[in-house]
Amino acid sequence: TSKQPTLSKFFTAQ
Amino acid sequence: MFEARLVQGALLKKVLESIKDLLNEATWECAATGISLQAMDSSHVSLVALNLRSDGFDKYRCDRNVSLGMNLTNMAKIMKCASNDDVITIKAQDDADTVTFVFETPNQEKISDYEMKLMNLDTEHLGIPDTDYSCIVKMPSVEFQRICRDLSQIGDSVVISCTKEGVKFSAAGDLGTGNVKLAQNANVDKEEEAVVIEMQEPVSLTFACRYLNSFTKATPLAPQVQLSMSSDVPLVVEYKLEDMGYVRYYLAPKIED
């Protein structure tokens, strides 16, 4: 099985 | 005062079609340099970033930066009222709570205007780090659309594997498996039919089909699509708008549980 991470794991809020 | 006039109004209709699947609402940031938009889908798994440069418009005036928060479903309803050959002008006063769309037929005999209420959206701007991608694939956008559509019949996810020889798209599900391999092919008659791979190191990443299929709504915008990939970072799917800017989508890869 695989999990779908969100983009907050990669990109930071400015 | 903000005013942007686009003789090729169909382009704006296509841009909206390319994002409204993923986004219900978004803020169009209007500045002297052009119009930009950045927004995540409601599940925060994918992101749309687009840029329409001011010099790509036939007339462009932006006295000071304005943020136009719009319900994109409503914007799409209004854009449907424009014919494909209409000239489209977007207008807003500084600090206005409405935006006006003007549609003119090429012969100027019919002029329609639609005023739409703006929204105050709480938008979070994400910093996207510069990345040297391990693999960059350029391929016909119609081919990418076809592959995403075909493989989503087989499974929920597509594995994209890239080496310098070619790129392979694979899906697996209850009914079985499917693989589509494209060889690098730069020696074609038409530039837009080429498959070109720039590879630093091979990658193999898994992505959710439903998002890839949403991204392919941008297919009418450009003959080629560019996929940029590195291990453990979001995929970038980019459609370049000729002399105008781009529509980019970012999608986080799936990870093994």
Side-chain angles (χ1 to χ4, degrees):
Chain A
T1 57
S2 55
K3 210 166 58 178
Q4 177 67 68
T6 63
L7 286 174
S8 56
K9 185 174 181 289
F10 306 95
F11 301 154
T12 47
Q14 283 185 329
Chain B
M1 174 78 187
F2 169 74
E3 188 172 339
R5 177 183 162 92
L6 193 59
V7 170
Q8 206 191 333
L11 182 75
L12 202 63
K13 286 167 69 102
K14 289 179 195 168
V15 167
L16 185 61
E17 287 301 311
S18 75
I19 64 173
K20 77 175 178 53
D21 233 39
L22 289 164
L23 309 173
N24 297 321
E25 49 207 28
T27 301
W28 301 79
E29 301 289 353
C30 307
T33 49
I35 303 175
S36 62
L37 178 153
Q38 193 210 73
M40 284 190 283
D41 73 283
S42 59
S43 60
H44 289 200
V45 168
S46 69
L47 178 138
V48 178
L50 72 81
N51 186 36
L52 307 173
R53 287 195 317 272
S54 54
D55 60 12
F57 288 87
D58 301 284
K59 183 182 169 193
Y60 193 91
R61 176 182 166 187
C62 185
D63 300 335
R64 67 187 189 98
N65 293 1
V66 285
S67 299
L68 306 177
M70 297 189 205
N71 176 309
L72 297 182
T73 309
N74 292 344
M75 184 182 174
K77 283 181 188 170
I78 289 176
M79 282 295 160
K80 282 221 166 69
C81 304
S83 299
N84 277 333
D85 58 354
D86 278 356
V87 177
I88 297 182
T89 303
I90 311 169
K91 288 183 194 176
Q93 298 295 329
D94 293 345
D95 296 323
D97 53 8
T98 61
V99 58
T100 302
F101 298 97
V102 181
F103 307 142
E104 298 164 66
T105 53
N107 62 12
Q108 306 262 310
E109 282 176 1
K110 178 182 167 191
I111 299 176
S112 324
D113 69 89
Y114 294 87
E115 194 178 78
M116 187 177 86
K117 289 178 194 143
L118 292 171
M119 308 170 77
N120 258 325
L121 297 173
D122 224 358
T123 39
E124 178 184 51
H125 198 85
L126 292 179
I128 299 167
D130 282 333
T131 306
D132 287 324
Y133 290 96
S134 302
C135 291
I136 296 176
V137 178
K138 292 173 190 154
M139 61 185 283
S141 59
V142 171
E143 190 66 77
F144 180 61
Q145 181 181 43
R146 178 68 199 256
I147 292 169
C148 292
R149 194 190 70 192
D150 290 349
L151 292 181
S152 58
Q153 312 261 19
I154 310 298
D156 296 336
S157 303
V158 170
V159 180
I160 306 179
S161 308
C162 185
T163 64
K164 63 177 183 298
E165 282 77 36
V167 57
K168 184 173 81 168
F169 301 84
S170 311
D174 293 340
L175 70 82
T177 61
N179 294 290
V180 181
K181 289 179 209 161
L182 290 181
Q184 175 153 226
N185 178 14
N187 304 317
V188 287
D189 292 343
K190 291 182 194 157
E191 209 178 310
E192 60 240 44
E193 288 171 7
V195 176
V196 178
I197 296 166
E198 291 164 33
M199 193 204 74
Q200 310 302 322
E201 48 185 321
V203 293
S204 184
L205 294 163
T206 306
F207 301 102
C209 284
R210 61 175 276 234
Y211 292 98
L212 297 178
N213 276 322
S214 290
F215 301 167
T216 64
K217 301 283 185 206
T219 305
L221 285 170
Q224 284 251 315
V225 63
Q226 177 172 306
L227 315 177
S228 304
M229 294 171 283
S230 281
S231 291
D232 303 321
V233 303
L235 160 77
V236 191
V237 178
E238 176 171 335
Y239 296 84
K240 286 193 170 73
L241 313 177
E242 203 180 350
D243 301 327
M244 187 87 188
Y246 58 80
V247 177
R248 285 182 195 145
Y249 303 93
Y250 294 82
L251 176 62
K254 287 187 166 185
I255 48 174
E256 287 305 314
D257 220 356

